[in-house]
C-alpha cells in the first residue's frame, strides 16, 4: 500500500466553525507533513512531524493546530479560519525525514472558508 | 522570496514534441533536486530526482540535465503525450525536511 489518504475531499466552513482534516498512511513512514497549496502555486510547507513529534512549524497561525495521534495518522484542527485560508491542504509522508526520501502526497482536502 | 526560479510558467507542445522546463537556484548548499508532477485534483508525485554530482539522469521519456557551475537544471520530456499534460514543479533541498519548490509549469500536450 503506497497510498496517503485524506478526508474529507472537500470542506466548506464558516469563520466561527471548528473542523478537522485527517490524513492516514500505512507505509510505515516516520515523517509526515502538512502543506497548503493555493491555486496555480507550489505547495507551502506548514508542519512536519518526525517520529510522531512536531519538528517543524513554519510560523503557521495558531488557528491551525496539528496533531499526530500515532505513527499512521495526522490531523489538522481548524478553528476561526479566515477566507484567505481557503486552499488545497495536502498531507505527505516519507520513510524518514531525510532529503532523499521520496515524499508521497495525498490527494488533498479542498477547503473553502466562507 | 522564491529560492528556485522556474520557467516558463506554461507551455503548449504538440504530441510527439519535446517539452523543456528550466530551473535556477542561488543557494549552493542545495544538494538534492527532485521534480514533481501534479495532475488536476491530485497531490504532487515524484517524477525524477538528481544530485549535483550527476550531470544527467534519464528515466523513460523524462531526462534531468544538471549544470552545477551555472546553478541550473532542466527537465526534458521527450515524445510528449497528452497524458503528460500536468503541472510540473522543480524543487531543491539542503536539509532534512524542507523542499523549496519552483513556481510550477503547466504543460499542455495537444493531440
Amino acid at each position: 500500500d503506497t497510498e496517503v489518504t485524506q478526508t474529507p475531499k472537500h470542506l466548506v466552513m464558516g469563520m466561527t466553525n471548528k473542523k478537522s482534516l485527517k490524513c492516514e498512511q500505512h507505509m510505515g513512514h516516520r515523517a509526515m507533513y502538512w502543506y497548503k497549496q493555493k491555486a496555480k502555486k507550489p505547495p507551502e510547507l506548514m508542519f512536519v512531524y518526525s517520529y510522531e513529534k512536531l519538528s517543524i512549524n513554519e510560523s503557521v497561525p495558531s488557528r491551525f493546530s496539528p496533531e499526530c495521534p500515532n505513527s499512521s495518522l495526522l490531523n489538522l484542527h481548524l478553528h476561526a479560519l479566515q477566507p484567505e485560508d481557503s486552499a488545497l491542504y495536502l498531507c505527505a509522508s516519507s520513510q524518514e525525514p531525510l532529503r532523499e526520501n521520496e515524499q508521497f502526497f495525498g490527494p488533498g482536502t479542498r477547503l473553502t472558508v466562507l | 522570496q522564491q529560492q528556485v526560479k522556474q520557467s516558463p510558467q506554461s507551455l503548449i507542445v504538440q504530441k510527439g514534441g519535446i517539452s523543456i522546463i528550466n530551473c535556477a537556484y542561488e543557494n549552493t548548499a542545495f544538494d538534492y533536486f527532485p521534480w514533481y508532477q501534479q495532475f488536476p485534483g491530485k497531490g504532487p508525485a515524484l517524477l525524477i530526482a538528481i544530485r549535483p554530482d550527476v550531470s544527467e539522469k534519464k528515466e523513460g521519456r523524462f531526462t534531468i540535465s544538471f549544470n552545477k557551475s551555472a546553478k541550473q537544471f532542466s527537465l526534458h520530456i521527450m515524445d510528449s503525450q497528452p497524458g503528460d499534460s500536468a503541472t510540473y514543479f522543480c524543487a531543491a533541498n539542503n536539509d532534512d525536511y524542507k523542499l523549496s519548490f519552483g513556481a510550477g509549469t503547466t504543460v499542455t500536450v495537444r493531440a
Side-chain angles (χ1 to χ4, degrees):
Chain A
D1 183 2
T2 57
E3 197 179 18
V4 175
T5 59
Q6 290 188 244
T7 55
K9 287 188 177 178
H10 302 275
L11 178 63
V12 179
M13 61 185 290
M15 289 190 285
T16 58
N17 292 158
K18 284 185 182 181
K19 297 286 184 183
S20 296
L21 309 184
K22 179 179 170 181
C23 171
E24 203 159 0
Q25 57 88 13
H26 295 287
M27 296 178 277
H29 288 177
R30 304 316 302 268
M32 295 185 78
Y33 312 76
W34 278 116
Y35 287 86
K36 173 183 177 180
Q37 186 176 30
K38 293 283 231 182
K40 299 190 184 299
K41 297 290 186 184
E44 298 173 37
L45 184 65
M46 299 175 70
F47 302 103
V48 180
Y49 272 83
S50 175
Y51 290 84
E52 299 162 52
K53 290 191 182 340
L54 183 64
S55 58
I56 288 188
N57 176 340
E58 289 286 312
S59 303
V60 179
S62 60
R63 56 186 184 268
F64 295 91
S65 175
E67 179 197 17
C68 189
N70 59 57
S71 60
S72 301
L73 196 53
L74 189 65
N75 297 321
L76 186 63
H77 303 297
L78 315 172
H79 173 54
L81 294 192
Q82 304 297 309
E84 59 264 29
D85 296 322
S86 298
L88 181 69
Y89 287 84
L90 293 161
C91 174
S93 70
S94 63
Q95 186 146 10
E96 297 283 341
L98 299 173
R99 65 171 65 78
E100 291 194 24
N101 279 193
E102 177 180 353
Q103 291 189 26
F104 290 82
F105 285 82
T109 293
R110 176 77 57 190
L111 174 68
T112 303
V113 181
L114 300 176
Chain B
Q1 183 185 355
Q2 205 127 40
Q3 295 198 59
V4 179
K5 293 189 183 344
Q6 183 172 348
S7 63
Q9 188 175 7
S10 64
L11 67 90
I12 299 173
V13 64
Q14 291 297 119
K15 180 181 173 183
I18 301 174
S19 304
I20 302 174
I21 304 169
N22 299 302
C23 289
Y25 64 97
E26 288 297 324
N27 187 347
T28 55
F30 286 146
D31 64 357
Y32 177 64
F33 301 87
W35 286 85
Y36 282 83
Q37 179 188 53
Q38 186 174 22
F39 293 105
K42 302 283 189 185
L46 181 66
L47 186 63
I48 187 172
I50 198 168
R51 295 211 57 179
D53 52 350
V54 175
S55 61
E56 186 174 283
K57 183 174 181 180
K58 185 175 180 180
E59 288 186 5
R61 296 183 293 106
F62 299 90
T63 300
I64 301 178
S65 298
F66 192 88
N67 185 331
K68 188 175 179 179
S69 60
K71 291 184 284 186
Q72 294 175 349
F73 57 111
S74 60
L75 176 70
H76 289 60
I77 307 173
M78 313 300 286
D79 186 26
S80 297
Q81 299 296 313
D84 298 331
S85 297
T87 299
Y88 294 81
F89 295 99
C90 61
N93 195 342
N94 72 324
D95 61 23
D96 289 343
Y97 309 107
K98 189 171 180 179
L99 286 168
S100 295
F101 285 95
T105 297
T106 300
V107 173
T108 303
V109 182
R110 294 257 166 89

